[in-house]
């Protein structure tokens, strides 16, 4: 009998751990269709923006050249104005809705020639994952060349975020569609979304419950509005000025801005590697941090809330996005203590209790909209756990970070690499063979040491 692998609780032996890692790698390679790795075997057959960033990071554990190719593929979809879209359709249409034609991106003067993409964005994780790939790289020269190659595209992307989505200079980047948050049906979007009146919704056929149960997906009322908003944007030729000024949905999101803030830090580190100036990025960070704490922090509740910039009100829903301020280092010590002590460790909200075993539910369990199986309304997501874990480490909550890591590994070890998991008993839900879960399994087993924070 072999010794248990230290720190890898769910794996009784080194062999069990090795077999788990092999399954993670195989999930990624089996989803590899050449130009890109599908986020899920059946449910998501194209290349998604933040999935691709995580997939590249996962691939870099065992195939650095293939990891770099993943990033290059995503960048082929970059628009002429710098936007990196949320989906790139390298392989034409499929049984996924919306397909490439639905977007009509040719209405935009900025659409990339010869590539089919969506017209929305997703949280800008790419610079963060590229930096992690670089920190891990064995082939330092190839990695440095790669940074030199992709840095201009990353800088244009970050610049676009502030120019197109913060034309008023608030410091915070706005999203115009819940899909842009990456957490489509989270409770923090309900209030803003339900104020969108979906008149004249174009004909469409949902396809998302072909491979996943309807109870685990967003509801009809959400989809009506998702589609209605896209129809507005294509009608406006995806002009960023018009979208910002007129989109009936305009939210300054906690998760999106925290991801952007961390990505700015990582972009600065990449710039320093190759001797590029950083003052423009430092300015975005400074203003984002100030606005994030002035506008999104609610002192009474001790939580960060998203802000509905169209209706000028905070969205007071308690969801896991509130902890992204820890991930990005946006909270001060006192805020961190409240977030962790009063909320993350509270069994009525996020900590395990008699009915719920796994950390971290995506919605507080006592939130009105909590549904433990429905997409972003409650299930545990490995990406979110990974970010919460990093936040806890950053603020010195080592033991709790380790518990989140162990829970994440235990879920994947027993149920496989799924899109999400029921926090009550770990039942897998959503898409199977989910690439970012597999990528993050590799990352959770072989984490990088904390980078010096700014
Ligand atoms: C989906 O199809 O569920 C995606 O989240 C949209 O990008």
């Amino acid at each position: 009998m072999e010794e248990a692998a230290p720190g890898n609780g769910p794996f009784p032996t080194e062999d069990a751990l090795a077999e788990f890692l092999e399954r993670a790698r195989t999930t990624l390679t089996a989803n590899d269709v050449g130009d890109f790795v599908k986020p899920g075997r059946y449910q998501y057959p194209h290349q998604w923006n933040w999935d691709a960033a995580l997939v590249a990071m996962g691939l870099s554990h065992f195939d650095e050249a293939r990891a770099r190719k993943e990033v290059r593929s995503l960048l082929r979809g970059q628009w002429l104005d710098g936007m990196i879209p949320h989906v790139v359709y390298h392989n034409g249409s499929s049984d996924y809705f919306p397909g490439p034609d639905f977007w009509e991106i040719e209405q935009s003067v900025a659409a990339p020639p010869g590539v089919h993409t969506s017209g929305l964005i997703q949280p800008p994780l790419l610079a963060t994952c590229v930096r992690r790939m670089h920190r891990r790289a064995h082939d330092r020269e190839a990695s440095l060349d790669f940074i030199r190659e992709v840095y201009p595209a990353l800088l244009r992307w970050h610049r676009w975020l502030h120019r197109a989505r913060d034309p008023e200079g608030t410091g915070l980047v706005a999203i115009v569609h819940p899909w842009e948050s990456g957490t489509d049906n989270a409770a923090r979007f309900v209030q803003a979304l339900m104020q969108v009146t979906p008149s004249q919704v174009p004909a469409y056929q949902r396809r998302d419950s072909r491979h996943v149960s309807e109870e685990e997906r967003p509801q009809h009322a959400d989809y009506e509005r998702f589609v209605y908003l896209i129809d507005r944007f294509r009608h406006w030729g995806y002009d960023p000025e018009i979208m910002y000024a007129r989109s009936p949905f305009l939210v300054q999101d906690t998760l999106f801005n925290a991801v952007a803030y961390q990505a700015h830090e990582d972009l600065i580190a990449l710039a320093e590697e190759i001797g590029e100036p950083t003052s423009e990025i430092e300015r975005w960070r400074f203003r984002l941090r100030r606005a994030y704490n002035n506008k999104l922090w609610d002192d009474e509740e001790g939580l960060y809330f998203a802000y509905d910039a169209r209706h000028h009100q905070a969205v007071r829903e308690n969801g896991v996005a509130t902890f992204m301020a820890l991930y990005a280092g946006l909270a001060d010590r006192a805020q961190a203590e409240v977030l962790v002590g009063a909320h993350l460790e509270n069994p009525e909200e996020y900590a395990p209790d008699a009915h719920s075993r796994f950390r971290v539910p995506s919605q507080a369990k006592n939130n009105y909209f909590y549904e433990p199986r429905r997409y972003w309304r409650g299930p545990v997501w490995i990406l979110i756990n990974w970010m919460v874990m990093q936040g806890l480490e950053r603020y010195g909550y080592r033991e709790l970070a380790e518990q989140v890591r162990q829970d994440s590994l235990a879920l994947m070890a027993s149920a496989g690499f799924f899109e999400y998991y029921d926090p009550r008993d770990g039942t897998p839900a959503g898409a199977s063979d989910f690439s970012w879960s597999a990528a993050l399994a590799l990352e959770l087993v072989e984490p990088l040491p904390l980078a010096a924070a700014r």
Side-chain angles (χ1 to χ4, degrees):
M1 185 77 175
E2 294 176 55
E3 289 289 313
N8 290 315
F11 309 105
T13 62
E14 288 289 352
D15 280 353
L17 176 61
E19 192 264 332
F20 173 75
L21 293 175
E22 184 53 26
R23 271 195 286 138
R25 288 188 287 266
T26 309
T27 301
L28 291 176
T29 49
N31 285 345
D32 189 346
V33 291
D35 273 348
F36 70 98
V37 171
K38 294 183 287 186
R41 183 79 42 90
Y42 310 105
Q43 182 79 347
Y44 302 110
H46 305 285
Q47 191 181 36
W48 265 256
N49 182 329
W50 71 338
D51 296 75
L54 293 162
V55 158
M57 185 173 72
L59 289 169
S60 74
H61 283 255
F62 60 100
D63 189 343
E64 291 174 16
R66 180 63 189 82
R68 293 193 285 269
K69 181 174 175 186
E70 192 68 20
V71 176
R72 289 190 183 106
S73 287
L74 181 67
L75 292 178
R76 281 218 299 279
Q78 184 165 33
W79 285 30
L80 304 179
D81 60 1
M83 180 183 95
I84 304 183
H86 102 293
V87 184
V88 185
Y89 299 88
H90 297 284
N91 49 346
S93 53
S94 66
D95 69 354
Y96 175 79
F97 170 82
D101 297 340
F102 189 82
W103 295 94
E104 297 177 10
I105 61 164
E106 62 283 359
Q107 307 287 348
S108 165
V109 290
V115 191
H116 291 290
T117 78
S118 76
L120 299 174
I121 56 173
Q122 255 183 347
L125 258 185
L126 189 59
T128 298
C129 294
V130 167
R131 182 188 180 194
R132 294 179 78 94
M133 283 161 60
H134 182 59
R135 288 180 63 205
R136 175 166 281 121
H138 291 106
D139 188 342
R140 303 302 302 166
E141 263 322 296
S143 183
L144 258 185
D145 284 349
F146 179 67
I147 302 304
R148 286 190 200 98
E149 172 192 332
V150 298
Y151 180 79
L154 293 173
L155 180 63
R156 287 174 60 233
W157 164 224
H158 285 224
R159 196 177 273 150
W160 182 92
L161 289 168
H162 286 275
R163 192 183 57 227
R165 294 306 179 80
D166 185 23
E168 297 172 285
T170 67
L172 294 170
V173 176
I175 55 172
V176 296
H177 192 295
W179 283 357
E180 297 199 318
S181 73
T183 59
D184 313 357
N185 68 337
R188 68 189 189 283
F189 304 123
V190 173
Q191 176 186 307
L193 195 62
M194 289 309 136
Q195 293 189 67
V196 173
T197 309
S199 52
Q200 293 179 329
V201 181
Y204 70 99
Q205 181 84 52
R206 270 182 82 163
R207 303 234 178 100
D208 56 309
S209 45
R210 284 162 83 100
H211 305 293
V212 170
S213 147
E214 248 174 64
E215 280 69 53
E216 296 170 10
R217 293 290 304 169
Q219 283 142 311
H220 175 69
D222 300 322
Y223 256 82
E224 285 288 285
R225 289 162 176 83
F226 294 162
V227 171
Y228 170 76
L229 286 169
I230 296 170
D231 189 47
R232 294 286 74 213
F233 304 150
R234 60 189 192 179
H235 180 72
W236 296 330
Y238 297 100
D239 179 325
E241 242 176 75
I242 305 179
M243 284 165 78
Y244 185 88
R246 300 193 19 205
S247 170
F249 180 95
L250 189 75
V251 170
Q252 291 166 330
D253 182 37
T254 36
L255 182 145
F256 194 102
N257 279 284
V259 168
Y261 186 76
Q262 177 60 49
H264 288 338
E265 175 178 328
D266 295 313
L267 193 63
I268 289 170
L270 294 175
E272 284 168 350
E273 284 281 339
I274 57 173
E276 289 288 328
T278 59
S279 54
E280 182 182 12
I281 315 170
E282 303 274 7
R283 263 199 313 279
W284 297 329
R285 263 173 72 78
F286 175 78
R287 297 214 311 256
L288 197 158
R289 181 185 193 96
R290 196 176 46 190
Y292 199 98
N293 279 301
N294 287 344
K295 202 165 182 180
L296 308 186
W297 174 250
D298 184 306
D299 210 30
E300 213 173 290
E301 296 285 344
L303 291 166
Y304 286 95
F305 291 131
Y307 187 79
D308 177 351
R310 186 53 76 228
H311 303 100
H312 307 288
Q313 52 190 339
V315 190
R316 302 170 65 80
E317 300 294 349
N318 184 0
V320 78
T322 200
F323 303 117
M324 296 303 119
L326 302 176
Y327 159 75
L330 281 156
D332 65 22
R333 170 64 41 202
Q335 287 167 318
E337 274 170 22
V338 176
L339 285 170
V340 175
H343 300 289
L344 193 60
E345 282 286 66
N346 179 349
E348 285 180 15
E349 297 183 16
Y350 298 96
D353 63 13
H355 311 288
S356 179
R357 280 176 50 206
F358 292 95
R359 296 172 200 267
V360 180
S362 46
Q363 205 64 57
K365 290 177 280 176
N366 60 0
N367 179 268
Y368 173 79
F369 293 103
Y370 174 67
E371 283 185 81
R373 287 269 171 96
R374 196 183 291 283
Y375 212 37
W376 290 96
R377 289 277 170 92
V380 176
W381 288 72
I382 302 300
L383 169 59
I384 296 296
N385 275 14
W386 179 67
M387 296 203 282
V388 170
M389 189 193 88
Q390 288 179 71
L392 291 169
E393 279 169 356
R394 192 191 268 263
Y395 287 84
Y397 297 96
R398 296 259 154 71
E399 228 170 89
L400 192 50
E402 182 57 19
Q403 282 172 27
V404 173
R405 192 176 82 95
Q406 293 291 341
D407 275 12
S408 313
L409 291 172
L411 285 167
M412 293 187 281
S414 66
F417 304 108
F418 271 75
E419 193 177 8
Y420 38 94
Y421 303 84
D422 187 327
R424 293 170 301 184
D425 58 2
T427 304
S432 64
D433 306 287
F434 195 63
S435 295
W436 90 28
S437 297
L440 289 167
L442 300 171
E443 197 70 20
L444 286 165
V445 173
E446 291 166 13
L448 281 166
L450 274 183
R454 288 168 179 275

